[in-house]
Amino acid sequence: MRILLTTTSYQDTPGKHHKMLEESGHEIIRDRGPLTEAQMLELIKTKGPFDGFLHGDDAITRTVIQAALPSLKALSKYGIGLDSVDVKAATDLKVPVLFTPGVNHTTVAEHTFGLLISLAKHFTAHLSSVSEGKWKRITGSELAGKTIGIMGMGRIGKEVAKRASAFDMKVLGFDVYWDNDFAKQHNITRCWKAEELICKSDVVSLHMNLSDDNREYFNKERIATMKKGAYIINCARGGLVHELDIAAACMAGHLGGYATDVLEIEPMKVPHPFQGISNILVTPHVGSRTFESVERQALMSTENLLRLLSGYKPLAQANSW
């Protein structure tokens, strides 16, 4: 069978997943995502047909899925977030959507705290100063005693909460689904409304799925309700914030800073409103890009697809009919 592989971290990081895919006996067609709908359609037209997609954050729309039929048998997402996949269309068209839950919560939580510490201690400015032969020093802030509000208490949110507790931070959490035993064990206070968490937190850390209901959730109105000088950390999806409003709040000093691993449009389109703002830090969507996590995600996404193409039940499927 023919498999389209587009995820770059899968291709660029060594690991056992390469051997698994090579030994499958299937033909592998490679490209480098994330690809737009137009690019996906062009690939299907010029290099298809494909029996399976092994993809990252490419635009898997209804039009793309329809164009890949009838040969397309499965979509295997390398990762957890499915906001770039039209799951409803795939379900309507009876195309399985596979994904990889439980593979990157440790590394994303670590990245979250890396960004938070970088903001609080002004790492970027200090490192740049010294690399230029200067000795500029900016007074930072302690994390101990501060309140962190975690929006989304799934696997990643829980790992962030554990690390926050280790830093002697007070932890607030908001989620529709609540693990009361975990919250009691780690002394996490539940906020029944997101607005309560947002106004009480010194740091708001985003770990929600992106949907039509929460797109650009952090806009100027919600930012205005936050503590002056508060931070927002985003290791979820760029679309959760209104980027122009974030930039304005950081420049005005209402937000102490914004640190993100994700943007509304990736890769970054230059010029971007975040460029040149000293209290905005951006990493290029590498929060789950560690040797350990890449191999876990890649092995699971590959096994998912190979099992389904061979007629077996995949390890994790996001839709059903």
Side-chain angles (χ1 to χ4, degrees):
M1 297 187 189
R2 307 182 81 245
I3 296 172
L4 175 63
L5 172 65
T6 58
T7 166
T8 55
S9 55
Y10 183 116
Q11 297 179 67
D12 295 345
T13 306
K16 299 174 185 176
H17 52 287
H18 294 290
K19 183 177 180 182
M20 177 184 285
L21 191 59
E22 290 165 5
E23 292 182 349
S24 70
H26 300 305
E27 182 182 358
I28 312 302
I29 297 85
R30 300 170 187 268
D31 211 304
R32 298 186 66 80
L35 303 175
T36 64
E37 180 185 69
Q39 290 171 317
M40 288 296 298
L41 291 172
E42 181 66 17
L43 270 175
I44 293 166
K45 180 180 177 181
T46 59
K47 297 185 179 181
F50 302 113
D51 296 279
F53 291 169
L54 214 171
H55 61 94
D57 291 325
D58 312 285
I60 311 297
T61 62
R62 182 179 292 270
T63 303
V64 168
I65 298 169
Q66 288 174 327
L69 293 173
S71 59
L72 184 65
K73 299 174 179 62
L75 302 168
S76 185
K77 172 67 187 288
Y78 165 87
I80 300 170
L82 295 170
D83 48 283
S84 62
V85 180
D86 190 333
V87 179
K88 183 180 185 306
T91 305
D92 292 343
L93 297 167
K94 294 186 167 32
V95 177
V97 178
L98 318 176
F99 69 138
T100 61
V103 295
N104 65 7
H105 47 281
T106 298
T107 190
V108 174
E110 290 177 351
H111 196 83
T112 298
F113 256 84
L115 289 174
L116 175 53
I117 292 169
S118 295
L119 269 183
K121 310 298 183 183
H122 306 289
F123 273 9
T124 300
H126 290 147
L127 292 168
S128 297
S129 171
V130 175
S131 70
E132 294 169 2
K134 302 174 184 177
W135 200 251
K136 181 179 181 180
R137 299 194 294 174
I138 307 170
T139 303
S141 300
E142 290 183 349
L143 298 181
K146 301 297 193 299
T147 297
I148 184 170
I150 301 173
M151 297 281 290
M153 289 296 297
R155 290 184 178 92
I156 297 172
K158 286 178 176 178
E159 291 298 319
V160 171
K162 287 159 63 175
R163 285 155 179 78
S165 294
F167 274 81
D168 291 329
M169 300 183 79
K170 179 180 178 181
V171 184
L172 307 180
F174 173 77
D175 204 319
V176 175
Y177 306 99
W178 190 255
D179 187 337
N180 201 48
D181 290 339
F182 180 89
K184 285 183 177 179
Q185 180 183 356
H186 296 282
N187 197 28
I188 301 166
T189 300
R190 182 177 190 178
C191 291
W192 291 91
K193 293 185 177 181
E195 290 78 8
E196 177 189 358
L197 179 147
I198 290 167
C199 71
K200 289 183 176 180
S201 298
D202 300 297
V203 180
V204 175
S205 192
L206 309 185
H207 303 287
M208 315 113 78
N209 294 322
L210 177 64
S211 68
D212 291 337
D213 293 332
N214 63 20
R215 186 172 295 277
E216 297 187 346
Y217 187 84
F218 278 86
N219 52 27
K220 61 184 179 181
E221 288 79 18
R222 283 199 173 87
I223 294 169
T225 69
M226 297 178 68
K227 291 183 179 180
K228 182 175 172 57
Y231 300 142
I232 297 176
I233 313 295
N234 188 358
C235 282
R237 284 291 184 264
L240 292 170
V241 307
H242 189 293
E243 292 182 339
L244 287 173
D245 290 353
I246 290 282
C250 287
M251 287 190 291
H254 183 74
L255 280 180
Y258 176 66
T260 184
D261 188 46
V262 286
L263 296 175
E264 174 83 38
I265 298 174
E266 298 179 1
M268 174 186 277
K269 301 296 183 184
V270 177
H272 191 279
F274 290 168
Q275 289 180 287
I277 302 177
S278 61
N279 57 345
I280 293 183
L281 306 182
V282 183
T283 51
H285 206 152
V286 291
S288 64
R289 195 168 177 142
T290 61
F291 290 108
E292 297 86 353
S293 178
V294 167
E295 185 173 83
R296 286 194 298 266
Q297 290 183 83
L299 284 171
M300 187 172 184
S301 59
T302 303
E303 186 174 356
N304 268 338
L305 183 56
L306 297 182
R307 285 173 66 91
L308 190 138
L309 293 179
S310 298
Y312 295 99
K313 183 179 179 180
L315 301 175
Q317 184 170 338
N319 65 342
S320 60
W321 48 84

